[in-house]
Amino acid sequence: MEPVHIDARGLHYTPLNQQIRRAVSEGTTEIIVDNVLGQRFIADGLKGEVTIRINGVPGGDLGMFMNGPTCIVKGNCDHAPGNTMDSGKIVIHGSAGDAVAHSMRGGKVFVRDDIGYRGGIHMKEYGEDHKPILVIGGNACSFLGEYMAGGVIIVLGKSSNPFGGRGVGSGIHGGEIILRGELKERQLGVGAKITEFTEEDLEKINPYIEDFCGYFEIDPEKYLDTKYTKIVASSSRPFAGKYVWE
């Protein structure tokens, strides 16, 4: 079946998403959407084995509640791509805004460059079948992995700038945040701690790094070592004593 082409120039997000859903219901396996500029909610709640190639800059909540499809963005992305996504993939050939992978509960999000604040906030997992993965090629801003309950966040920091965010893992009570390079204790949020990154950890994240580098045509060799910092929860109840009055 030939790909379905949609021109989004000047389209409101509602008719655009109606066209995408119609194409999926008719059995297409590939949709190419050109001239995207800020349209929100693309592929939200969409199910199936379809690839959506988005040329332009999609608006907020790309792939929210998505279950299965792959979205490939040739450009930057607005806030919260992968919000509460259940399964599938989002591949962003650029940077993304705040709250990337917000409450994501399955699937994978790959961002070639940087993301904004509160990336991976409240990510959660349900066993190996629903373990969300967020891989960031560049850097992230403060409060990365805030209230994180599961999954894995990997920051490769492929630029020369060190990670400068604060409040990393604030309120974390599950999952792992893995940053390339060193992180100072003062950059950690409440409830987060730094632990040793081992060869076993590297073996676990190797497939995600290989996937990332494959999507963006990057040589993975320089990332396949133990020069990472691993952040985990110091407690399953990081704020247990914060709201107690006597």
Side-chain angles (χ1 to χ4, degrees):
M1 180 179 288
E2 292 292 317
V4 171
H5 290 261
I6 298 173
D7 187 354
R9 189 185 301 276
L11 267 185
H12 185 271
Y13 65 80
T14 298
L16 171 58
N17 283 306
Q18 287 172 342
Q19 289 187 46
I20 291 171
R21 290 182 176 278
R22 187 179 308 117
V24 172
S25 69
E26 292 171 354
T28 188
T29 57
E30 184 175 4
I31 301 170
I32 300 171
V33 188
D34 292 321
N35 300 311
V36 174
L37 186 60
Q39 287 93 339
R40 295 179 284 168
F41 310 137
I42 294 174
D44 282 16
L46 203 62
K47 298 180 180 180
E49 300 297 321
V50 60
T51 296
I52 304 172
R53 302 185 185 277
I54 299 166
N55 297 318
V57 181
D61 291 316
L62 169 70
M64 183 167 63
F65 299 116
M66 191 173 75
N67 193 345
T70 295
C71 293
I72 300 174
V73 180
K74 289 298 182 75
N76 295 325
C77 198
D78 204 341
H79 67 276
N83 184 355
T84 325
M85 188 169 83
D86 195 58
S87 67
K89 294 177 187 173
I90 297 177
V91 180
I92 300 169
H93 289 255
S95 293
D98 297 338
V100 175
H102 187 321
S103 302
M104 185 174 156
R105 57 195 182 192
K108 299 173 183 176
V109 175
F110 300 96
V111 183
R112 188 191 66 190
D113 300 328
D114 301 329
I115 69 168
Y117 292 85
R118 290 191 159 87
I121 181 173
H122 214 319
M123 279 172 59
K124 55 186 74 70
E125 67 182 83
Y126 303 94
E128 288 299 318
D129 291 339
H130 283 76
K131 184 173 184 175
I133 307 296
L134 169 60
V135 184
I136 302 147
N139 276 319
C141 295
S142 295
F143 303 108
L144 178 70
E146 187 178 31
Y147 305 123
M148 189 175 175
V152 179
I153 299 173
I154 302 170
V155 181
L156 296 177
K158 61 184 178 65
S159 66
S160 59
N161 298 322
F163 182 85
R166 302 293 186 96
V168 178
S170 180
I172 184 174
H173 50 284
E176 300 173 342
I177 304 169
I178 298 171
L179 306 175
R180 187 154 184 81
E182 295 182 359
L183 189 75
K184 296 178 176 62
E185 289 282 346
R186 61 181 171 79
Q187 292 177 273
L188 290 176
V190 174
K193 70 176 182 180
I194 294 172
T195 189
E196 182 184 7
F197 183 86
T198 66
E199 288 285 351
E200 184 179 352
D201 291 317
L202 178 61
E203 186 176 339
K204 288 180 182 178
I205 69 170
N206 268 3
Y208 312 134
I209 294 173
E210 295 275 5
D211 284 349
F212 174 91
C213 291
Y215 278 118
F216 303 118
E217 299 182 347
I218 297 170
D219 183 0
E221 190 62 32
K222 74 180 207 174
Y223 301 115
L224 302 180
D225 55 35
T226 56
K227 296 178 181 178
Y228 290 89
T229 298
K230 180 179 174 182
I231 299 101
V232 297
S234 59
S235 164
S236 61
R237 299 180 63 205
F239 297 116
K242 188 171 179 62
Y243 304 107
V244 176
W245 290 269
E246 294 183 355

